[in-house]
């Protein structure tokens, strides 16, 4: 069989789930070229090619990661020449709520990851067709479907990462209390099962309101005696994705280079983009700061209103969550340069949970990054103080719900 023509494999592009939107260091572009017939055959359905070139102009790759990546490719290429080996997908991911508006595109994007060996899709109904559809994609992971509570244990067995988008989306006119009353119970029950069947997994909460559902998850895991704060995440990546997009558009910057840390929580004024910390450095007028901050905070409502009652931010949320999943998988796989913003147990403020940039590793959160909260502008400092009461109330609401709803040991 003739080899396919040489092609360029771009790493760090806006279409790459592996891009590192929150890494600390920045690096110059690098190039790598090696000859291989089979090395990347299984990566995201790419055909074998005789020559692969990896390029990056992205700030998402730090200097150490660039060197490690070059060494990794060179090492794997050499191993293949010697043993005809290929990269091995080795992680199991479960999506709970896979038939929903976020769950379907999220499952598709996770299916594209070269690190996933098994993709388990769970929902209370209609998941079999989703799994059948996604299973036809020619990427390495094997897809299985699980329907209803009786099949949840098998879905979760030996899973490394559990992603929970289950619940109802926000609709026009729906209050946060309405959303809370429905989704809180769903998250409680799913996390209880996680505690029983894969207590060591990374648990990633998408179900809103994240400011309350993450504390609910923490309490459930505590009641089960398996709580590890390093492995529980509220997925706030969408706030970072939006901030990067809006800032790049406003300042006419190359999107791939823009990185805006977003701290606080994941709703309304609790979302605080730190524009003063934007990379590459950019200057903003007072008017731009106010307009961008408000737009980032209200971007979810912008989508809800644009969809006019037919849905919420499902596609962008799926993209952002898939990026966080991929970052987690890279960290589990030993990449030592993975940073993302996430809502986690934190001591950076007087609040028990707080969204900030964290360093991810094989054990979960390896470190919180306090530097983003240092040297804030007056605008940011006032906004930080203003968000605390609302975020505190949301956290306490989640804790109170979970403590009243004691789960079976």
């Amino acid at each position: 069989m003739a080899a396919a023509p040489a092609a360029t494999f771009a790493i760090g592009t806006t279409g790459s789930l592996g891009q590192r939107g929150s890494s600390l260091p920045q690096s110059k572009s690098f190039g790598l070229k090696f000859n291989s017939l089979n090395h990347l055959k299984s990566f995201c359905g790419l055909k074998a090619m005789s020559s692969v070139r990896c390029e990056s102009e992205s700030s998402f790759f730090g200097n150490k990661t660039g060197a490690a990546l070059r060494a990794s490719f060179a090492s794997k290429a050499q191993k293949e020449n010697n043993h005809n080996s290929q990269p091995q997908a080795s992680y199991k991911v479960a999506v709970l709520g896979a038939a929903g508006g976020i769950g379907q595109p999220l499952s598709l994007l996770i299916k594209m990851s070269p690190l996933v060996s098994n993709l388990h899709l769970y929902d209370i109904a209609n998941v079999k067709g989703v799994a059948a559809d996604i299973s036809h994609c020619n990427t390495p992971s094997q897809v299985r479907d699980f329907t209803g509570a009786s099949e949840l244990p098998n879905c979760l067995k030996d899973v490394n990462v559990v992603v929970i988008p289950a619940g109802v989306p926000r609709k026009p006119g729906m209050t946060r209390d309405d959303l809370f009353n429905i989704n809180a119970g769903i998250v409680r029950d799913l996390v209880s099962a996680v505690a029983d069947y894969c207590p060591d997994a990374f648990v990633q909460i998408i179900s809103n309101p994240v400011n309350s559902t993450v504390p609910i998850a923490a309490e459930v895991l505590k009641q089960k005696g398996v709580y590890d704060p390093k492995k529980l995440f509220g997925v706030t990546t969408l706030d970072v994705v939006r901030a990067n997009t809006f800032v790049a558009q406003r300042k006419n910057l190359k999107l791939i280079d823009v990185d805006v840390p977003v701290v606080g929580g994941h709703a309304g004024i609790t979302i605080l983009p730190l524009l003063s910390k934007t990379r590459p450095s950019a200057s903003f007028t007072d008017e731009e700061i106010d307009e961008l901050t408000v737009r980032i905070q209200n971007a979810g409502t912008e989508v809800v209103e644009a969809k006019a009652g037919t849905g919420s931010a499902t596609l962008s949320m799926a993209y952002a969550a898939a990026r966080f999943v991929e970052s987690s998988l890279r960290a589990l796989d030993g990449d030592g340069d993975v940073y993302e913003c996430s809502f986690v147990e934190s001591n950076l403020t007087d609040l028990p949970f707080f969204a900030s940039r964290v360093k991810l590793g094989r054990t979960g959160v390896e470190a919180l990054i306090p530097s983003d909260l240092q040297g804030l502008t007056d605008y940011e400092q006032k906004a930080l103080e203003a968000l605390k009461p609302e975020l505190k109330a949301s956290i306490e609401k989640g804790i109170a719900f979970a403590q009243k709803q004691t789960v079976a040991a």
Side-chain angles (χ1 to χ4, degrees):
M1 179 184 293
T8 296
F9 171 51
I11 297 180
T13 65
T14 54
S16 170
L17 293 179
Q19 67 188 21
R20 191 162 303 146
S22 301
S23 66
L24 294 179
Q26 297 189 30
S27 65
K28 296 181 180 179
S29 63
F30 70 86
L32 168 67
K33 189 171 184 178
F34 61 88
N35 293 322
S36 169
L37 292 178
N38 299 309
H39 184 59
L40 291 179
K41 181 182 291 186
S42 62
F43 183 88
C44 295
L46 290 178
K47 294 181 179 179
M49 53 192 70
S50 58
S51 176
V52 178
R53 182 173 178 82
C54 301
E55 299 173 335
S56 173
E57 296 178 352
S58 166
S59 62
F60 302 149
F61 285 99
N63 292 327
K64 292 181 179 179
T65 300
L69 183 61
R70 291 192 293 272
S72 174
F73 273 114
S75 172
K76 289 178 180 178
Q78 183 62 42
K79 286 181 180 179
E80 180 184 317
N81 289 335
N82 293 337
H83 305 290
N84 196 32
S85 63
Q86 294 184 16
Q88 295 296 312
S90 56
Y91 297 99
K92 294 183 179 181
V93 178
V95 179
L96 309 186
I102 296 171
Q104 291 194 41
L106 173 58
S107 299
L108 173 62
L109 293 171
I110 295 174
K111 179 72 168 76
M112 295 171 64
S113 172
L115 292 171
V116 178
S117 60
N118 296 85
L119 178 58
H120 290 184
L121 306 184
Y122 170 85
D123 217 313
I124 57 174
N126 304 321
V127 73
K128 189 173 293 293
V130 175
D133 196 357
I134 292 175
S135 71
H136 294 177
C137 299
N138 64 326
T139 60
S141 57
Q142 299 297 309
V143 181
R144 293 181 61 193
D145 61 274
F146 302 85
T147 302
S150 64
E151 296 187 8
L152 187 54
N154 284 335
C155 172
L156 294 173
K157 184 179 179 181
D158 299 325
V159 163
N160 302 107
V161 177
V162 179
V163 195
I164 306 180
V168 299
R170 189 157 63 98
K171 300 176 182 177
M174 181 180 283
T175 67
R176 290 176 186 170
D177 282 342
D178 294 334
L179 196 65
F180 176 87
N181 290 333
I182 298 171
N183 288 351
I186 294 173
V187 170
R188 175 200 61 210
D189 294 343
L190 292 175
V191 173
S192 178
V194 169
D196 289 336
Y197 301 107
C198 56
D200 293 327
F202 285 16
V203 183
Q204 303 179 351
I205 307 292
I206 297 172
S207 308
N208 274 317
V210 166
N211 293 352
S212 297
T213 53
V214 170
I216 289 172
E219 289 301 310
V220 170
L221 293 168
K222 288 176 184 177
Q223 291 172 20
K224 292 280 191 173
V226 295
Y227 178 52
D228 183 347
K230 295 180 179 180
K231 294 183 177 181
L232 177 62
F233 307 88
V235 180
T236 62
T237 319
L238 181 54
D239 299 325
V240 176
V241 166
R242 286 167 167 163
N244 292 351
T245 300
F246 299 162
V247 166
Q249 291 171 345
R250 175 62 70 93
K251 306 307 290 184
N252 195 29
L253 297 171
K254 187 176 180 181
L255 181 58
I256 196 67
D257 290 333
V258 177
D259 176 22
V260 182
V262 182
V263 302
H266 188 53
I269 67 165
T270 70
I271 300 169
L272 178 56
L274 300 179
L275 299 176
S276 69
K277 307 289 185 177
T278 297
R279 293 171 179 252
S281 180
S283 60
F284 302 90
T285 66
D286 291 344
E287 182 180 16
E288 285 177 327
I289 291 171
D290 189 60
E291 288 179 356
L292 282 167
T293 299
V294 170
R295 188 182 179 199
I296 293 163
Q297 291 173 338
N298 295 326
T301 300
E302 182 179 315
V303 175
V304 169
E305 292 177 349
K307 290 190 174 182
T310 63
S312 59
T314 55
L315 301 176
S316 54
M317 182 66 248
Y319 165 80
R323 171 177 135 174
F324 190 77
V325 170
E326 187 74 2
S327 291
S328 301
L329 294 172
R330 292 202 322 273
L332 282 167
D333 203 45
D335 189 333
D337 191 29
V338 182
Y339 296 82
E340 290 282 1
C341 289
S342 182
F343 187 64
V344 298
E345 183 175 304
S346 174
N347 61 4
L348 295 184
T349 69
D350 53 354
L351 298 169
F353 294 89
F354 193 78
S356 68
R357 195 194 308 260
V358 301
K359 185 178 189 295
L360 299 176
R362 283 180 165 144
T363 60
V365 177
E366 285 194 349
L368 304 174
I369 309 301
S371 58
D372 286 335
L373 295 180
Q374 298 168 358
L376 299 180
T377 65
D378 288 342
Y379 179 95
E380 291 165 346
Q381 190 62 52
K382 290 177 181 177
L384 176 60
E385 295 306 314
L387 71 81
K388 287 182 178 180
E390 182 169 324
L391 183 52
K392 182 174 185 288
S394 296
I395 293 170
E396 291 176 346
K397 185 175 183 177
I399 292 173
F401 173 87
Q403 290 178 345
K404 289 178 182 178
Q405 307 279 330
T406 303
V407 297

